Amino acid sequence: MRKLLVAFLVTLLTLAIFAQKLGGRLIIAMETEPVGLDPHLVTAFASHRVLENVYDGLLRYGENLQLIPNIAEEFQVVDPYTIVFKIREDVKFHDGTPLTVEDVLFSFERILNPDTKSPAAAFYQDVESIKAIGDNKIEFKLKKPMASALLPNFAGVNSSIVSKKFVESGKNLQLETNGTGPFYLAEYVQGNYIVLKKSPHYFVKDQPYLDEIKIVFMPEEVSRVSALRNGDVDIAKINEPLNVRQFPEGRFKIYRSPVLSYYLIGINTTRKPFDDPRVRNALNYAINREAIIKTVAFGEGVVTGPLSPMVQPWALLPKDFDEYTYNPAKAKQLLAQAGYPNGFEFEIVTSQRYNFDKVAQVIQAQLAEVGVRAKINLVEWGIFIKRWRESDFDAFISMNSGSIEPDIQFYRTFHSKGSTNVFRYSNPRVDELLELGRSTVDTTKRKEIYDELQRLLVKESPIIFLYSANQIFVSNASVEGFKLLPNESLIFLRETYKK
């Protein structure tokens, strides 16, 4: 009897705790508003953060950035050329219409239609065919053996599944939405706020926890800080690390996570003296990455290798590379071996965006200690992009976006024919590893391939990898369940609640 009573009380307590999660309204202060609402067209970061809570893809990201089923309840890489997705049977759009295999086929046909001009079309350029298998499966056949490398694209906003009926009715998806996500768009006052409300049709039981999310647009950080401190909003995006000090623990919660994007020094490997890998590698030893983080990011960042330390199991950690040890004596030794015992002079092209200029100034001072004289050329953004595209630089300071998939991050950047290989870097073994990585299905073998690749990239250093900054949000103490992901997604708003 006592055991039954205890079990009953535990059940009541569990139900009471869970009941606290249900309902309520959350107000979030963000700095920018969406630029369009069509998931197949938008490129703006602010649009993605809203639409990822309105639409679903075949896959989505888990808490550790692992790919997990979403609209597809199962998926299988049959071979390097073939992926098969099994579609859930209990999914409905916000208007109550059941989602079918036809909607999935239509969505990818729309993405690949040149008239749509979807940025996601580039993800699927090597898809040979897409077809339905029965009533609940979709098969993707590829022209190249790269099935595993393609998978993360199915979790992106630009690969969301839309309603065929809704689109063909003539609706303008840039202004109206009809997704299958946990929230639907209830109100949008441009320049002011967006209201998302709980979808009664969401296929995950008991989610989302909140009844409503209101996203208010506050471009000025001082306004977001003030609104949060005054209790006008529940949670806010904070960009300036020093502002975190205005939120005492107890009254507020601080959320921080390194992002996948990373700061770097890009090097033109065809210009002297950078055509010698020893010279490029000397910069690795001459740069104190922790000092850059402390000075520029006020400690809000982590040292990164070729892949963010957050990308597991793929990433080798910075501690795995001797080159990441601050060692000016080793830098001088390498320079002397390369024929530059007294250092050399070169130009760093950069701009004022994202603190690039501040990173350049710290690096300039650090390189001077080993006799390398860096001249900073601060240019306006349009000129920076032009010189980047034309490889018109000795070196530059910039930032690259990251990915959970090594092929996506490395192939276009380091393959001798890569679309963003502005470094003019060419290494036959690197090309070979990149081709093997995208065509290999076995995870253990892929891990070995990308381990070797990362070691080669650090040794040869066409890029000097520096650090990833932290993203920061602050909430009041009543907010529970909010999580940040390194890809800066806010999909866990579906599990957020207020106690």
Side-chain angles (χ1 to χ4, degrees):
M1 179 64 73
R2 176 173 290 185
K3 289 183 179 180
L4 289 173
L5 179 60
V6 170
F8 177 71
L9 291 174
V10 168
T11 301
L12 287 178
L13 179 61
T14 301
L15 290 173
I17 293 173
F18 184 74
Q20 294 178 15
K21 296 184 180 183
L22 300 179
R25 181 195 203 201
L26 187 78
I27 305 177
I28 306 175
M30 300 288 284
E31 69 268 44
T32 51
E33 67 178 300
V35 183
L37 297 172
D38 188 331
H40 294 163
L41 295 181
V42 295
T43 57
F45 179 85
S47 295
H48 283 227
R49 298 295 75 80
V50 172
L51 295 177
E52 67 189 1
N53 288 290
V54 174
Y55 287 93
D56 286 308
L58 292 175
L59 306 178
R60 71 176 181 89
Y61 293 107
E63 189 173 349
N64 297 313
L65 286 185
Q66 74 277 26
L67 290 172
I68 59 177
N70 199 24
I71 284 179
E73 66 177 349
E74 296 176 8
F75 65 97
Q76 180 184 9
V77 176
V78 179
D79 57 54
Y81 293 89
T82 312
I83 309 171
V84 174
F85 297 93
K86 181 180 178 182
I87 309 304
R88 292 182 187 273
E89 297 180 354
D90 56 346
V91 180
K92 291 184 179 180
F93 290 100
H94 294 151
D95 64 2
T97 305
L99 178 144
T100 68
V101 166
E102 282 299 313
D103 294 303
V104 179
L105 284 173
F106 173 81
S107 296
F108 285 97
E109 289 168 0
R110 184 172 187 260
I111 289 168
L112 290 168
N113 186 336
D115 294 337
T116 305
K117 297 180 180 179
S118 171
F123 305 157
Y124 304 105
Q125 62 184 354
D126 291 318
V127 172
E128 180 72 42
S129 65
I130 309 172
K131 69 176 183 180
I133 303 175
D135 295 331
N136 66 344
K137 289 184 179 179
I138 297 284
E139 178 190 80
F140 284 75
K141 278 286 186 182
L142 311 182
K143 302 173 187 175
K144 297 180 180 179
M146 54 179 295
S148 296
L150 187 67
L151 283 175
N153 296 303
F154 293 102
V157 167
N158 289 137
S159 298
S160 295
I161 306 305
V162 299
S163 164
K164 179 180 180 180
K165 178 181 176 182
F166 189 77
V167 176
E168 291 184 339
S169 72
K171 301 291 186 180
N172 185 344
L173 268 66
Q174 288 285 44
L175 302 175
E176 299 181 70
T177 65
N178 185 28
T180 61
F183 297 95
Y184 67 91
L185 180 62
E187 186 179 6
Y188 182 9
V189 179
Q190 291 191 352
N192 197 339
Y193 64 85
I194 274 179
V195 175
L196 303 178
K197 290 193 175 182
K198 178 177 183 175
S199 170
H201 305 297
Y202 189 48
F203 58 86
V204 179
K205 186 179 180 181
D206 298 321
Q207 285 189 16
Y209 298 152
L210 292 163
D211 288 326
E212 181 179 307
I213 295 174
K214 183 177 183 180
I215 304 172
V216 294
F217 312 125
M218 296 183 177
E220 300 299 326
E221 178 139 326
V222 63
S223 299
R224 299 195 299 277
V225 170
S226 177
L228 184 55
R229 286 180 57 84
N230 293 337
D232 297 324
V233 302
D234 300 302
I235 190 166
K237 177 78 164 61
I238 302 298
N239 294 324
E240 291 296 330
L242 289 179
N243 284 332
V244 175
R245 300 175 184 177
Q246 299 190 48
F247 301 100
E249 292 186 22
R251 284 185 58 205
F252 299 96
K253 296 178 180 179
I254 314 297
Y255 309 85
R256 49 168 59 84
S257 168
V259 297
L260 295 183
S261 56
Y262 57 93
Y263 286 83
L264 62 102
I265 305 174
I267 297 172
N268 188 330
T269 62
T270 63
R271 288 191 181 182
K272 289 188 176 297
F274 293 127
D275 57 341
D276 190 328
R278 292 172 297 183
V279 173
R280 303 195 299 265
N281 209 2
L283 300 192
N284 267 318
Y285 288 102
I287 291 171
N288 186 332
R289 293 163 172 81
E290 294 288 359
I292 298 173
I293 295 171
K294 182 178 180 180
T295 304
V296 177
F298 300 97
E300 293 290 350
V302 297
V303 175
T304 181
L307 287 169
S308 166
M310 307 296 288
V311 180
Q312 294 300 321
W314 304 113
L316 293 181
L317 302 179
K319 66 180 179 61
D320 296 325
F321 302 105
D322 182 66
E323 291 88 345
Y324 278 61
T325 304
Y326 178 53
N327 190 340
K330 178 70 172 179
K332 290 179 180 179
Q333 180 185 354
L334 287 169
L335 291 173
Q337 290 174 2
Y340 299 94
N342 299 315
F344 60 92
E345 184 173 318
F346 75 105
E347 180 186 79
I348 297 176
V349 179
T350 193
S351 82
Q352 290 184 318
R353 289 203 175 192
Y354 310 109
N355 290 323
F356 294 161
D357 55 329
K358 295 178 182 177
V359 173
Q361 290 166 11
V362 177
I363 287 173
Q364 181 186 50
Q366 292 180 352
L367 294 182
E369 295 182 13
V370 298
V372 175
R373 301 168 294 282
K375 177 185 176 183
I376 298 174
N377 185 1
L378 196 62
V379 300
E380 87 66 39
W381 188 243
I383 294 174
F384 178 87
I385 295 298
K386 182 176 185 294
R387 294 189 64 174
W388 178 86
R389 285 176 176 165
E390 297 174 356
S391 299
D392 182 18
F393 56 82
D394 296 332
F396 66 85
I397 303 291
S398 184
M399 184 165 57
N400 273 357
S401 60
S403 174
I404 68 164
E405 168 52 51
D407 176 79
I408 294 173
Q409 180 147 335
F410 291 142
Y411 194 96
R412 65 178 183 174
T413 304
F414 298 111
H415 194 283
S416 57
K417 296 181 180 179
S419 60
T420 60
N421 184 359
V422 297
F423 323 101
R424 296 180 174 173
Y425 174 65
S426 180
N427 181 310
R429 180 56 180 166
V430 167
D431 285 356
E432 182 182 6
L433 290 169
L434 288 168
E435 297 293 349
L436 285 170
R438 62 167 33 181
S439 62
T440 301
V441 174
D442 182 83
T443 302
T444 301
K445 292 180 180 178
R446 289 191 88 212
K447 169 67 174 165
E448 293 171 358
I449 291 166
Y450 287 117
D451 281 358
E452 181 182 346
L453 177 65
Q454 289 173 78
R455 293 189 182 99
L456 257 177
L457 292 177
V458 171
K459 182 179 179 180
E460 297 225 326
S461 299
I463 279 180
I464 305 295
F465 302 94
L466 298 174
Y467 76 97
S468 292
N470 287 339
Q471 58 175 324
I472 304 172
F473 278 75
V474 180
S475 78
N476 60 44
S478 68
V479 175
E480 297 284 349
F482 182 74
K483 300 183 185 79
L484 293 178
L485 296 182
N487 64 354
E488 301 181 70
S489 167
L490 296 179
I491 59 171
F492 279 95
L493 285 173
R494 65 196 66 190
E495 296 182 18
T496 302
Y497 61 100
K498 293 169 68 175
K499 61 182 180 181

